[in-house]
Amino acid sequence: MLRRIKTHGMYRPKLFDTLKNYNRQQFTKDLLAGIIVGIVALPLAIAFAIASGVSPEKGLYTAVIAGFIISAMGGSRVQIGGPTGAFIVIVYGIVQVHGVNGLIIATFMAGVMLIIMGLARFGSVIKFIPHPLIVGFTSGIAVLIFSSQMKDFFGLSMGDVPADFFTKWKSYTAGVDTVNMYSFMIAAATVAIILLWPKVTHKIPGSLIAIVVTTTAMQIFHLPVDTIGNRFGSIPSSLPMPIIPDLDFNTIKKLIQPAFTIALLGGIESLLSAVVSDGMIGGNHKSNMELIAQGTANIFSSIFGGIPATGAIARTATNVKNGGRTPVAGIVHAITLLLIMLFVGKWAALIPMATLAGILVVIAYHMSEWQSFVSVFKGSHSDVVVLVTTFLLTVIIDLTVAIEIGMVLAAFLFMRQMIMFSDVSILKRDIDDSGKEKNTNDIEILSIPSTVEVFEITGPLFFVAAHKFKAAMRFIENPPKILIIRMRQVPFIDATGIRTLKEVHKDAKHRGTKLILSEVHSRQLIKELQDARLLFSIGKANVTSSFKEALSRSIMLLQDEATNKNIPLDD
């Protein structure tokens, strides 16, 4: 019954929990925070959409629809959702290969995957993706975002920006003589305003001030600079009609990999944001409910023609700093964006492309996490390998490949560390009654008979360490009467470990050696031994909870053999 109640609470949105003691004072704070975050999100939604290779209104649709759902259904009190810089690279790649329709289908599929992850309770697992892996692909994404903005930052006269990193920079170099100094000045002014404005106030975002100042300057002086309107036309002042994507087996097969990347990246980003915000407000988010909300948000975003969405760390932090403490602030943020789009969205067409490039260059700098990159780079060799590999694969090849290979590499390096931690050793003859080795001068000593061999396994007995254990067993030249295997430092065992124990037991019986497992404390170990019927075949009396019991049992078995008595091994 308690388990059922706990599970039910796990899948209840935080909105319902926070409304129990909601009051007017908190609503005022949430309202103000929501309006501020909505204003902050406006230029970002447009910039992320354009950088992703789609029209600007798709970013607004995503911020409104997905932002509302993530707050209303999510497992965090203060999470703000919408399009983020992390998706730019993967979305741009999908659009280049499969078109906008392929992106919509991939986003829909990713939403379904996220819901399945949440229902399968993967939330607690995704939160523990290795830090070097996250820093590696995040820094790689930052480099790619920075690279993608050079055309508009300098106003270069060239065709479409190539997707390949090196080809992209080669094209920039070829077009260096076409630099538009007006575009460069607007982009540089944007960067300067965003970096310096916080010294004036934190209440109004620097990106909004930069947009107002540069757009006004361009209109007054009639500067020859590309705008959103020149490139994409006017921005619609209404939401589109929902359309369910057409799914067939061939399409699913083609888009399953990028869809999984969107789902995994969305899950990682949203849960990281939730963890960061928990630290800021002293809260505790529901990771599985958050994944379900993110999945639902991406499904509806795709239905309305939007792009992938996830939790946005910067906007969530802005929400918290301005007093937002419940999902109401996130809902207000989505409504604010909707009202802006409906009534003043047409003015967004006047924004210079160089201004958006300047905003994205600053975002890329903050995303780069260069301090974290340097910190991990100074760490262990394993972490450095994962960091550099993931970073280089993200920049040079593809984010999907980077995450996949990075995860596999991290897993292999972890196994390598577990192998180094795992050990099998033969123990000395003199051991005290607590099971510790002692000098022969000590008083309390349990004397081990010469016909008894004692081996100890240190660390998990899993499929890799099991081979080390089997190799150690081969060093026993003269079969002892009793073989005691101490397992006090074995936290878990897998199927290969169980099979190895079975082989050791079988070999011991063949040699006439009786096997005793000592200090089996872990519940998981006992359960695995029971399920594999090793407890029955070895004998319950020969699986002990202390070394003293194991030694007493071995002496009893030796005495029985000496006096030709038949004591059953499973009593």
Side-chain angles (χ1 to χ4, degrees):
M1 182 68 168
L2 287 173
R3 182 180 177 86
R4 195 181 308 157
I5 292 171
K6 185 178 179 182
T7 303
H8 177 70
M10 182 193 303
Y11 293 115
R12 184 174 60 243
K14 273 286 185 179
L15 178 64
F16 297 159
D17 297 339
T18 56
L19 289 180
K20 290 177 182 176
N21 301 311
Y22 202 61
N23 54 49
R24 182 178 294 179
Q25 184 181 10
Q26 187 55 57
F27 174 72
T28 303
K29 291 180 179 178
D30 287 338
L31 180 65
L32 179 62
I35 292 172
I36 292 172
V37 176
I39 294 170
V40 170
L42 175 67
L44 298 180
I46 294 172
F48 290 147
I50 292 173
S52 298
V54 298
S55 53
E57 72 274 6
K58 294 189 182 299
L60 292 173
Y61 299 159
T62 305
V64 171
I65 295 162
F68 182 90
I69 293 172
I70 287 170
S71 293
M73 290 184 60
S76 169
R77 295 170 63 94
V78 292
Q79 182 85 282
I80 301 295
T84 67
F87 280 126
I88 289 175
V89 176
I90 186 66
V91 171
Y92 186 84
I94 294 171
V95 171
Q96 293 298 305
V97 178
H98 304 286
V100 174
N101 190 53
L103 171 64
I104 290 171
I105 294 172
T107 305
F108 185 94
M109 290 167 59
V112 174
M113 290 178 188
L114 280 165
I115 292 176
I116 293 171
M117 288 178 188
L119 294 174
R121 303 186 191 181
F122 283 0
S124 56
V125 178
I126 292 176
K127 281 190 294 187
F128 299 110
I129 297 292
H131 180 61
L133 180 75
I134 294 172
V135 174
F137 75 67
T138 303
S139 299
I141 289 170
V143 169
L144 291 174
I145 292 173
F146 176 83
S147 300
S148 68
Q149 296 310 302
M150 293 301 97
K151 175 186 175 182
D152 290 327
F153 197 95
F154 291 98
L156 301 177
S157 297
M158 55 184 287
D160 292 336
V161 178
D164 179 70
F165 180 76
F166 294 110
T167 308
K168 189 179 296 178
W169 281 99
K170 188 177 178 181
S171 299
Y172 292 152
T173 305
V176 71
D177 56 342
T178 65
V179 171
N180 182 332
M181 289 306 297
Y182 296 110
S183 291
F184 173 69
M185 286 189 291
I186 286 176
T190 300
V191 172
I193 291 170
I194 294 173
L195 295 179
L196 297 174
W197 185 255
K199 295 182 179 180
V200 179
T201 180
H202 288 277
K203 294 294 182 183
I204 304 173
S207 56
L208 182 65
I209 299 299
I211 285 175
V212 172
V213 170
T214 55
T215 303
T216 303
M218 198 196 75
Q219 293 300 314
I220 291 173
F221 297 106
H222 304 289
L223 302 178
V225 176
D226 259 3
T227 64
I228 291 176
N230 294 151
R231 193 170 295 180
F232 299 99
S234 60
I235 294 178
S237 57
S238 62
L239 290 173
M241 292 298 293
I243 300 174
I244 304 293
D246 242 354
L247 293 174
D248 58 71
F249 181 74
N250 287 332
T251 305
I252 292 173
K253 189 177 174 182
K254 276 193 301 184
L255 294 170
I256 190 75
Q257 190 179 36
F260 179 74
T261 304
I262 292 172
L264 184 60
L265 191 58
I268 293 171
E269 287 287 313
S270 63
L271 295 182
L272 277 177
S273 178
V275 169
V276 170
S277 64
D278 280 350
M280 297 176 73
I281 65 173
N284 186 24
H285 75 280
K286 301 175 183 178
S287 55
N288 295 308
M289 189 64 236
E290 186 65 24
L291 290 179
I292 292 172
Q294 298 288 340
T296 307
N298 277 282
I299 288 173
F300 277 90
S301 176
S302 65
I303 288 174
F304 281 89
I307 60 179
T310 186
I313 296 176
R315 275 162 276 170
T316 299
T318 303
N319 180 34
V320 172
K321 289 174 183 176
N322 286 281
R325 289 297 180 274
T326 77
V328 171
I331 292 172
V332 170
H333 133 269
I335 294 172
T336 301
L337 275 170
L338 177 63
L339 294 175
I340 291 172
M341 186 179 75
L342 293 178
F343 298 108
V344 296
K346 60 183 179 180
W347 300 107
L350 300 176
I351 298 173
M353 294 299 297
T355 301
L356 296 181
I359 291 172
L360 286 167
V361 164
V362 175
I363 289 171
Y365 171 77
H366 290 306
M367 272 189 72
S368 67
E369 296 190 41
W370 64 268
Q371 297 97 332
S372 297
F373 194 98
V374 172
S375 176
V376 175
F377 200 81
K378 292 178 179 178
S380 69
H381 292 304
S382 297
D383 288 343
V384 172
V385 170
V386 173
L387 172 75
V388 174
T389 302
T390 309
F391 173 78
L392 291 177
L393 287 174
T394 300
V395 172
I396 298 172
I397 300 179
D398 180 64
L399 179 62
T400 305
V401 175
I403 292 177
E404 289 172 351
I405 293 180
M407 289 284 286
V408 172
L409 184 60
F412 272 113
L413 290 173
F414 173 75
M415 285 189 289
R416 178 175 172 271
Q417 289 178 328
M418 286 295 99
I419 295 169
M420 294 171 65
F421 176 73
S422 300
D423 189 32
V424 181
S425 56
I426 186 168
L427 300 186
K428 298 176 182 177
R429 293 269 160 231
D430 299 320
I431 297 180
D432 70 13
D433 59 0
S434 67
K436 295 179 181 177
E437 296 180 28
K438 303 200 81 174
N439 296 323
T440 52
N441 295 327
D442 292 325
I443 299 172
E444 296 181 350
I445 290 179
L446 300 175
S447 182
I448 301 175
S450 60
T451 53
V452 176
E453 288 282 5
V454 181
F455 278 77
E456 179 163 17
I457 305 173
T458 304
L461 186 55
F462 67 126
F463 66 95
V464 180
H467 295 287
K468 185 184 286 189
F469 176 49
K470 286 169 71 175
M473 290 295 101
R474 294 193 191 102
F475 281 102
I476 304 176
E477 295 179 2
N478 301 315
K481 296 290 184 184
I482 307 291
L483 174 61
I484 299 176
I485 299 176
R486 302 184 70 190
M487 304 181 72
R488 57 180 176 159
Q489 298 187 64
V490 179
F492 69 88
I493 188 170
D494 71 354
T496 308
I498 287 289
R499 182 180 177 182
T500 302
L501 279 180
K502 284 182 176 180
E503 290 175 1
V504 169
H505 179 236
K506 182 180 178 181
D507 185 59
K509 284 180 70 176
H510 179 71
R511 295 184 176 205
T513 300
K514 293 180 175 62
L515 179 65
I516 296 177
L517 302 183
S518 168
E519 296 148 288
V520 182
H521 302 305
S522 167
R523 289 183 180 179
Q524 190 263 353
L525 276 180
I526 295 171
K527 184 178 184 303
E528 292 292 345
L529 292 173
Q530 285 176 334
D531 293 346
R533 298 200 46 90
L534 263 172
L535 273 183
F536 175 78
S537 57
I538 294 174
K540 290 182 181 179
N542 296 329
V543 180
T544 67
S545 59
S546 71
F547 183 76
K548 192 171 183 178
E549 288 178 44
L551 195 56
S552 298
R553 177 64 179 169
S554 66
I555 292 171
M556 185 187 301
L557 291 171
L558 290 172
Q559 288 173 347
D560 171 59
E561 185 177 355
T563 55
N564 293 319
K565 288 183 181 178
N566 294 318
I567 300 175
L569 297 184
D570 57 350
D571 57 2

PDB file of all heavy atoms in Angstrom, residues 53 99 105 137 156 168 172 211 340 366 398 405 419 429 451 509 562 567 569:
ATOM      1  N   GLY A  53      18.510  26.350 -38.232  1.00  0.00           N
ATOM      2  CA  GLY A  53      18.193  26.153 -39.637  1.00  0.00           C
ATOM      3  C   GLY A  53      16.712  26.169 -39.952  1.00  0.00           C
ATOM      4  O   GLY A  53      16.305  25.729 -41.032  1.00  0.00           O
ATOM      5  N   GLY A  99      15.239  17.441 -43.710  1.00  0.00           N
ATOM      6  CA  GLY A  99      14.291  18.527 -43.887  1.00  0.00           C
ATOM      7  C   GLY A  99      13.522  18.840 -42.620  1.00  0.00           C
ATOM      8  O   GLY A  99      13.640  18.143 -41.599  1.00  0.00           O
ATOM      9  N   ILE A 105       9.108  14.942 -37.154  1.00  0.00           N
ATOM     10  CA  ILE A 105       8.887  13.525 -36.831  1.00  0.00           C
ATOM     11  C   ILE A 105       9.883  13.059 -35.768  1.00  0.00           C
ATOM     12  O   ILE A 105       9.520  12.351 -34.818  1.00  0.00           O
ATOM     13  CB  ILE A 105       8.994  12.663 -38.101  1.00  0.00           C
ATOM     14  CG1 ILE A 105       7.858  13.004 -39.073  1.00  0.00           C
ATOM     15  CG2 ILE A 105       8.963  11.176 -37.756  1.00  0.00           C
ATOM     16  CD1 ILE A 105       7.985  12.356 -40.437  1.00  0.00           C
ATOM     17  N   PHE A 137      30.737  17.253 -24.610  1.00  0.00           N
ATOM     18  CA  PHE A 137      29.830  17.569 -25.721  1.00  0.00           C
ATOM     19  C   PHE A 137      29.248  18.977 -25.583  1.00  0.00           C
ATOM     20  O   PHE A 137      28.945  19.629 -26.577  1.00  0.00           O
ATOM     21  CB  PHE A 137      28.755  16.493 -25.921  1.00  0.00           C
ATOM     22  CG  PHE A 137      27.628  16.454 -24.934  1.00  0.00           C
ATOM     23  CD1 PHE A 137      26.690  17.469 -24.843  1.00  0.00           C
ATOM     24  CD2 PHE A 137      27.458  15.348 -24.106  1.00  0.00           C
ATOM     25  CE1 PHE A 137      25.629  17.399 -23.958  1.00  0.00           C
ATOM     26  CE2 PHE A 137      26.406  15.264 -23.218  1.00  0.00           C
ATOM     27  CZ  PHE A 137      25.492  16.302 -23.140  1.00  0.00           C
ATOM     28  N   LEU A 156      29.204  38.371 -43.865  1.00  0.00           N
ATOM     29  CA  LEU A 156      29.882  37.844 -45.045  1.00  0.00           C
ATOM     30  C   LEU A 156      28.895  37.574 -46.185  1.00  0.00           C
ATOM     31  O   LEU A 156      27.789  37.066 -45.952  1.00  0.00           O
ATOM     32  CB  LEU A 156      30.621  36.554 -44.698  1.00  0.00           C
ATOM     33  CG  LEU A 156      31.691  36.636 -43.596  1.00  0.00           C
ATOM     34  CD1 LEU A 156      32.275  35.262 -43.322  1.00  0.00           C
ATOM     35  CD2 LEU A 156      32.785  37.621 -43.994  1.00  0.00           C
ATOM     36  N   LYS A 168      33.359  24.722 -43.171  1.00  0.00           N
ATOM     37  CA  LYS A 168      32.735  25.973 -42.742  1.00  0.00           C
ATOM     38  C   LYS A 168      33.785  27.083 -42.605  1.00  0.00           C
ATOM     39  O   LYS A 168      33.631  28.176 -43.150  1.00  0.00           O
ATOM     40  CB  LYS A 168      32.050  25.732 -41.402  1.00  0.00           C
ATOM     41  CG  LYS A 168      31.173  26.853 -40.910  1.00  0.00           C
ATOM     42  CD  LYS A 168      30.523  26.478 -39.586  1.00  0.00           C
ATOM     43  CE  LYS A 168      29.596  25.284 -39.756  1.00  0.00           C
ATOM     44  NZ  LYS A 168      28.983  24.840 -38.505  1.00  0.00           N
ATOM     45  N   TYR A 172      34.547  30.588 -44.678  1.00  0.00           N
ATOM     46  CA  TYR A 172      34.707  31.906 -44.048  1.00  0.00           C
ATOM     47  C   TYR A 172      35.992  32.580 -44.536  1.00  0.00           C
ATOM     48  O   TYR A 172      36.013  33.784 -44.837  1.00  0.00           O
ATOM     49  CB  TYR A 172      34.756  31.785 -42.527  1.00  0.00           C
ATOM     50  CG  TYR A 172      33.456  31.344 -41.885  1.00  0.00           C
ATOM     51  CD1 TYR A 172      33.456  30.651 -40.674  1.00  0.00           C
ATOM     52  CD2 TYR A 172      32.230  31.637 -42.474  1.00  0.00           C
ATOM     53  CE1 TYR A 172      32.273  30.256 -40.069  1.00  0.00           C
ATOM     54  CE2 TYR A 172      31.039  31.246 -41.881  1.00  0.00           C
ATOM     55  CZ  TYR A 172      31.074  30.552 -40.676  1.00  0.00           C
ATOM     56  OH  TYR A 172      29.896  30.160 -40.092  1.00  0.00           O
ATOM     57  N   ILE A 211      18.954  44.315 -28.412  1.00  0.00           N
ATOM     58  CA  ILE A 211      18.030  44.264 -29.554  1.00  0.00           C
ATOM     59  C   ILE A 211      17.397  45.627 -29.800  1.00  0.00           C
ATOM     60  O   ILE A 211      17.328  46.112 -30.943  1.00  0.00           O
ATOM     61  CB  ILE A 211      16.941  43.185 -29.311  1.00  0.00           C
ATOM     62  CG1 ILE A 211      17.534  41.797 -29.515  1.00  0.00           C
ATOM     63  CG2 ILE A 211      15.765  43.394 -30.253  1.00  0.00           C
ATOM     64  CD1 ILE A 211      16.576  40.676 -29.185  1.00  0.00           C
ATOM     65  N   ILE A 340       3.272  38.477 -26.467  1.00  0.00           N
ATOM     66  CA  ILE A 340       4.249  39.234 -27.264  1.00  0.00           C
ATOM     67  C   ILE A 340       4.137  38.833 -28.733  1.00  0.00           C
ATOM     68  O   ILE A 340       4.149  39.685 -29.637  1.00  0.00           O
ATOM     69  CB  ILE A 340       5.684  38.993 -26.744  1.00  0.00           C
ATOM     70  CG1 ILE A 340       5.859  39.636 -25.362  1.00  0.00           C
ATOM     71  CG2 ILE A 340       6.710  39.560 -27.715  1.00  0.00           C
ATOM     72  CD1 ILE A 340       7.177  39.302 -24.688  1.00  0.00           C
ATOM     73  N   HIS A 366      29.288  31.242 -22.734  1.00  0.00           N
ATOM     74  CA  HIS A 366      28.808  30.738 -21.444  1.00  0.00           C
ATOM     75  C   HIS A 366      28.617  29.219 -21.470  1.00  0.00           C
ATOM     76  O   HIS A 366      28.836  28.534 -20.468  1.00  0.00           O
ATOM     77  CB  HIS A 366      27.499  31.424 -21.051  1.00  0.00           C
ATOM     78  CG  HIS A 366      27.662  32.867 -20.692  1.00  0.00           C
ATOM     79  ND1 HIS A 366      28.558  33.296 -19.743  1.00  0.00           N
ATOM     80  CD2 HIS A 366      27.055  33.989 -21.164  1.00  0.00           C
ATOM     81  CE1 HIS A 366      28.509  34.616 -19.627  1.00  0.00           C
ATOM     82  NE2 HIS A 366      27.598  35.061 -20.492  1.00  0.00           N
ATOM     83  N   ASP A 398      29.983  14.383 -35.313  1.00  0.00           N
ATOM     84  CA  ASP A 398      28.544  14.487 -35.099  1.00  0.00           C
ATOM     85  C   ASP A 398      28.239  14.321 -33.621  1.00  0.00           C
ATOM     86  O   ASP A 398      28.897  13.542 -32.934  1.00  0.00           O
ATOM     87  CB  ASP A 398      27.828  13.396 -35.916  1.00  0.00           C
ATOM     88  CG  ASP A 398      26.335  13.446 -35.746  1.00  0.00           C
ATOM     89  OD1 ASP A 398      25.733  14.455 -36.141  1.00  0.00           O
ATOM     90  OD2 ASP A 398      25.771  12.495 -35.204  1.00  0.00           O
ATOM     91  N   ILE A 405      29.727   7.116 -28.612  1.00  0.00           N
ATOM     92  CA  ILE A 405      31.093   6.647 -28.360  1.00  0.00           C
ATOM     93  C   ILE A 405      31.559   7.092 -26.977  1.00  0.00           C
ATOM     94  O   ILE A 405      32.242   6.346 -26.265  1.00  0.00           O
ATOM     95  CB  ILE A 405      32.051   7.153 -29.455  1.00  0.00           C
ATOM     96  CG1 ILE A 405      31.693   6.478 -30.792  1.00  0.00           C
ATOM     97  CG2 ILE A 405      33.508   6.874 -29.087  1.00  0.00           C
ATOM     98  CD1 ILE A 405      32.561   6.879 -31.952  1.00  0.00           C
ATOM     99  N   ILE A 419      38.334  -3.321 -12.650  1.00  0.00           N
ATOM    100  CA  ILE A 419      39.299  -4.425 -12.721  1.00  0.00           C
ATOM    101  C   ILE A 419      40.499  -4.117 -11.824  1.00  0.00           C
ATOM    102  O   ILE A 419      40.989  -4.984 -11.094  1.00  0.00           O
ATOM    103  CB  ILE A 419      39.773  -4.643 -14.170  1.00  0.00           C
ATOM    104  CG1 ILE A 419      38.611  -5.111 -15.046  1.00  0.00           C
ATOM    105  CG2 ILE A 419      40.901  -5.665 -14.229  1.00  0.00           C
ATOM    106  CD1 ILE A 419      38.926  -5.085 -16.516  1.00  0.00           C
ATOM    107  N   ARG A 429      48.749 -17.471   7.081  1.00  0.00           N
ATOM    108  CA  ARG A 429      48.257 -18.513   7.987  1.00  0.00           C
ATOM    109  C   ARG A 429      47.680 -17.966   9.285  1.00  0.00           C
ATOM    110  O   ARG A 429      46.882 -18.616   9.919  1.00  0.00           O
ATOM    111  CB  ARG A 429      49.405 -19.452   8.345  1.00  0.00           C
ATOM    112  CG  ARG A 429      49.860 -20.230   7.148  1.00  0.00           C
ATOM    113  CD  ARG A 429      49.117 -21.546   7.020  1.00  0.00           C
ATOM    114  NE  ARG A 429      49.214 -22.036   5.674  1.00  0.00           N
ATOM    115  CZ  ARG A 429      48.184 -22.414   4.950  1.00  0.00           C
ATOM    116  NH1 ARG A 429      46.972 -22.345   5.422  1.00  0.00           N
ATOM    117  NH2 ARG A 429      48.346 -22.868   3.736  1.00  0.00           N
ATOM    118  N   THR A 451      46.095 -27.729   5.734  1.00  0.00           N
ATOM    119  CA  THR A 451      45.299 -28.300   4.633  1.00  0.00           C
ATOM    120  C   THR A 451      44.150 -27.376   4.214  1.00  0.00           C
ATOM    121  O   THR A 451      43.284 -27.769   3.446  1.00  0.00           O
ATOM    122  CB  THR A 451      44.729 -29.667   5.041  1.00  0.00           C
ATOM    123  OG1 THR A 451      44.022 -29.530   6.277  1.00  0.00           O
ATOM    124  CG2 THR A 451      45.838 -30.693   5.207  1.00  0.00           C
ATOM    125  N   LYS A 509      35.084 -30.028  -6.216  1.00  0.00           N
ATOM    126  CA  LYS A 509      34.514 -31.370  -5.981  1.00  0.00           C
ATOM    127  C   LYS A 509      35.319 -32.430  -6.717  1.00  0.00           C
ATOM    128  O   LYS A 509      35.577 -33.513  -6.191  1.00  0.00           O
ATOM    129  CB  LYS A 509      33.055 -31.407  -6.449  1.00  0.00           C
ATOM    130  CG  LYS A 509      32.084 -30.696  -5.496  1.00  0.00           C
ATOM    131  CD  LYS A 509      30.649 -30.764  -5.996  1.00  0.00           C
ATOM    132  CE  LYS A 509      30.104 -32.167  -5.905  1.00  0.00           C
ATOM    133  NZ  LYS A 509      28.674 -32.243  -6.290  1.00  0.00           N
ATOM    134  N   ALA A 562      38.811 -37.163   9.333  1.00  0.00           N
ATOM    135  CA  ALA A 562      39.806 -37.942  10.084  1.00  0.00           C
ATOM    136  C   ALA A 562      39.175 -39.095  10.839  1.00  0.00           C
ATOM    137  O   ALA A 562      39.770 -40.166  11.010  1.00  0.00           O
ATOM    138  CB  ALA A 562      40.547 -37.033  11.057  1.00  0.00           C
ATOM    139  N   ILE A 567      29.197 -36.143   7.875  1.00  0.00           N
ATOM    140  CA  ILE A 567      28.373 -34.980   8.194  1.00  0.00           C
ATOM    141  C   ILE A 567      27.877 -34.376   6.886  1.00  0.00           C
ATOM    142  O   ILE A 567      28.702 -33.982   6.052  1.00  0.00           O
ATOM    143  CB  ILE A 567      29.175 -33.927   8.978  1.00  0.00           C
ATOM    144  CG1 ILE A 567      29.695 -34.535  10.288  1.00  0.00           C
ATOM    145  CG2 ILE A 567      28.349 -32.695   9.256  1.00  0.00           C
ATOM    146  CD1 ILE A 567      30.600 -33.593  11.055  1.00  0.00           C
ATOM    147  N   LEU A 569      26.893 -31.906   4.025  1.00  0.00           N
ATOM    148  CA  LEU A 569      27.392 -30.554   3.764  1.00  0.00           C
ATOM    149  C   LEU A 569      26.279 -29.517   3.680  1.00  0.00           C
ATOM    150  O   LEU A 569      26.541 -28.337   3.659  1.00  0.00           O
ATOM    151  CB  LEU A 569      28.191 -30.543   2.460  1.00  0.00           C
ATOM    152  CG  LEU A 569      29.447 -31.412   2.459  1.00  0.00           C
ATOM    153  CD1 LEU A 569      30.168 -31.227   1.140  1.00  0.00           C
ATOM    154  CD2 LEU A 569      30.369 -31.072   3.618  1.00  0.00           C
TER     155      LEU A 569
END
